[in-house]
Amino acid sequence: MTSLDDLPIRADLRGRTPYGAPQAHVRVALNVNENTHPVPESVAHDIVASLAAAILTINRYPDREFGELRDGLATYLGHGLTRDNVWAANGSNEVLQQILQAFGGPGRSVLGFPPTYSMHSIIASATGTQWVEGARDEGYEISPETAVREIDRTAPDVVFFCSPNNPTGTPVSLSTIEAAYDATDGIVVVDEAYAEFLPQGNATALTLLEGRDRLLVSRTMSKAFAFAGARVGYLAAAPVITDALRLVRLPYHLSALTQAAATAALRHSDQMLAMVDDIKAQRDRILTELPALGYAPLPSWSNFVLFGGVADPAATFEALLARGVLIRDVGIPNTLRVSAGTEAETTAFLEALAALGDPTSGPSTKLDR
């Protein structure tokens, strides 16, 4: 056998390509919405000590119910949640996959609202769940009326919202989530991977959980906690939801090392989240400075900015890469997306973009010497 097509792969997977952002060793990588700030040294020492303790019993299977981690996550989230309301897995992608394993699958459908996080449709495909696309309003918003209309039109078993939305950075209002929940008998999932970057005073979907057993709020430690390499995602929901997810999870799916590292990080949540304000400041700086360079950024409630006015996204992407700055072409015409990094990284991006010249005429290929 010489190619994937020679294998007896599932028919619905033929012709597909795996998910993956471009990877390159560059001085400034702002393409996958990571938190580019390092873990504080004092926190890192505690995490290492916790990992060392876990290693001493690594010959035994980990706590299958990861109770200490769920306690830590519940305390962090607040809103009266307990460990019974919390579930965790190896990144929020695995959480979403388990949701569709339990509530999706062959003969069932999930409604999403593109442009949105591309893994939503990929996970749907991987679980044999039909992916159904709903329409958005102007400015990538989703009004309550639009959400209800699309649910009535498609009759999905599961509804996915991403708030703030990736790649646009736009929020989904609580009134939209409430209306969607009331319009369906199925599961409603709110992917809040970027919730910690919301403007001050804005409530999250966690406030809607009480009395709504079919509402699930997915989170991650990858972004605000600078824990992307640890792969820890989680959700908050009614206890009956965690019972359902136990039916599809693999045995001992969270390693002892993952549990130890995440639990230690949560003990220092104040320190871990201290960098969020700086990231938000750099995001707002990008929003302020891009128009002066001739670009049109969308309002963002996340740790990244999608900006329009790019005459040739592919050429601009390559020109920035040649200057050591990696951002993301998400496939939306005349746009690119950049993560908010440290002050130095943000400066490097803005200076590199300014060096490209007038965005309406395409980037300059001349490199400064």
Side-chain angles (χ1 to χ4, degrees):
M1 296 182 180
T2 58
S3 72
L4 192 61
D5 289 337
D6 295 321
L7 293 173
I9 196 169
R10 277 172 27 197
D12 61 320
L13 295 181
R14 289 194 180 278
R16 294 184 178 272
T17 56
Y19 172 87
Q23 290 186 311
H25 294 289
V26 295
R27 63 187 178 93
V28 179
L30 300 173
N31 64 321
V32 288
N33 302 341
E34 295 163 317
N35 183 335
T36 65
H37 295 62
V39 173
E41 186 173 353
S42 60
V43 180
H45 286 311
D46 191 21
I47 293 172
V48 169
S50 296
L51 290 171
I55 285 288
L56 296 177
T57 58
I58 204 70
N59 59 306
R60 299 291 188 178
Y61 284 114
D63 175 9
R64 188 176 59 237
E65 293 300 309
F66 46 98
E68 187 178 6
L69 175 56
R70 289 163 65 204
D71 285 341
L73 289 167
T75 298
Y76 167 68
L77 291 176
H79 297 281
L81 299 173
T82 70
R83 70 161 63 178
D84 293 334
N85 299 105
V86 176
W87 188 253
N90 296 286
S92 60
N93 288 332
E94 186 175 65
V95 171
L96 298 173
Q97 177 175 274
Q98 290 175 346
I99 292 169
L100 289 188
Q101 286 175 320
F103 300 106
R108 296 192 174 192
S109 64
V110 54
L111 170 65
F113 294 84
T116 192
Y117 181 37
S118 59
M119 277 303 299
H120 288 173
S121 60
I122 293 172
I123 292 170
S125 174
T127 58
T129 310
Q130 181 186 5
W131 173 255
V132 180
E133 295 188 351
R136 286 180 176 266
D137 299 313
E138 190 73 22
Y140 301 109
E141 302 285 345
I142 308 173
S143 69
E145 295 77 16
T146 294
V148 171
R149 184 191 69 228
E150 295 302 286
I151 289 170
D152 289 344
R153 180 179 66 84
T154 62
D157 299 282
V158 182
V159 180
F160 274 177
F161 292 111
C162 188
S163 182
N165 185 53
N166 179 12
T168 62
T170 47
V172 178
S173 71
L174 298 186
S175 59
T176 293
I177 296 167
E178 288 179 291
Y181 186 90
D182 292 340
T184 179
D185 293 327
I187 297 293
V188 177
V189 181
V190 184
D191 184 343
E192 286 194 343
Y194 302 94
E196 285 88 352
F197 301 99
L198 291 173
Q200 193 72 26
N202 283 272
T204 83
L206 293 173
T207 61
L208 302 178
L209 284 174
E210 187 173 355
R212 294 182 175 90
D213 289 352
R214 294 177 288 104
L215 179 63
L216 289 61
V217 181
S218 172
R219 293 285 191 94
T220 182
M221 292 184 71
S222 292
K223 311 302 180 182
F225 272 82
F227 234 49
R231 311 307 303 130
V232 182
Y234 57 101
L235 67 73
V240 69
I241 295 295
T242 61
D243 287 340
L245 298 183
R246 286 186 180 91
L247 300 176
V248 299
R249 61 102 179 263
L250 294 174
Y252 310 105
H253 70 290
L254 275 178
S255 78
L257 301 182
T258 298
Q259 294 182 44
T263 301
L266 287 164
R267 287 198 295 267
H268 302 275
S269 59
D270 288 346
Q271 284 178 268
M272 294 292 279
L273 296 178
M275 63 192 85
V276 168
D277 285 342
D278 182 56
I279 295 169
K280 289 165 67 174
Q282 297 309 313
R283 174 201 65 200
D284 293 343
R285 178 186 170 198
I286 293 170
L287 291 170
T288 299
E289 295 191 24
L290 279 180
L293 299 178
Y295 297 93
L298 271 71
S300 176
W301 288 25
S302 57
N303 72 337
F304 58 85
V305 174
L306 181 74
F307 58 98
V310 186
D312 188 337
T316 300
F317 172 88
E318 293 295 341
L320 288 172
L321 184 58
R323 287 166 168 79
V325 178
L326 179 62
I327 62 172
R328 188 75 178 270
D329 183 349
V330 296
I332 300 175
N334 303 115
T335 69
L336 289 168
R337 191 193 70 192
V338 61
S339 308
T342 63
E343 181 178 2
E345 289 169 330
T346 301
T347 297
F349 158 70
L350 291 169
E351 289 180 348
L353 193 64
L356 300 186
D358 183 0
T360 63
S361 60
S364 168
T365 58
K366 180 181 178 181
L367 288 173
D368 295 331
R369 295 292 183 184

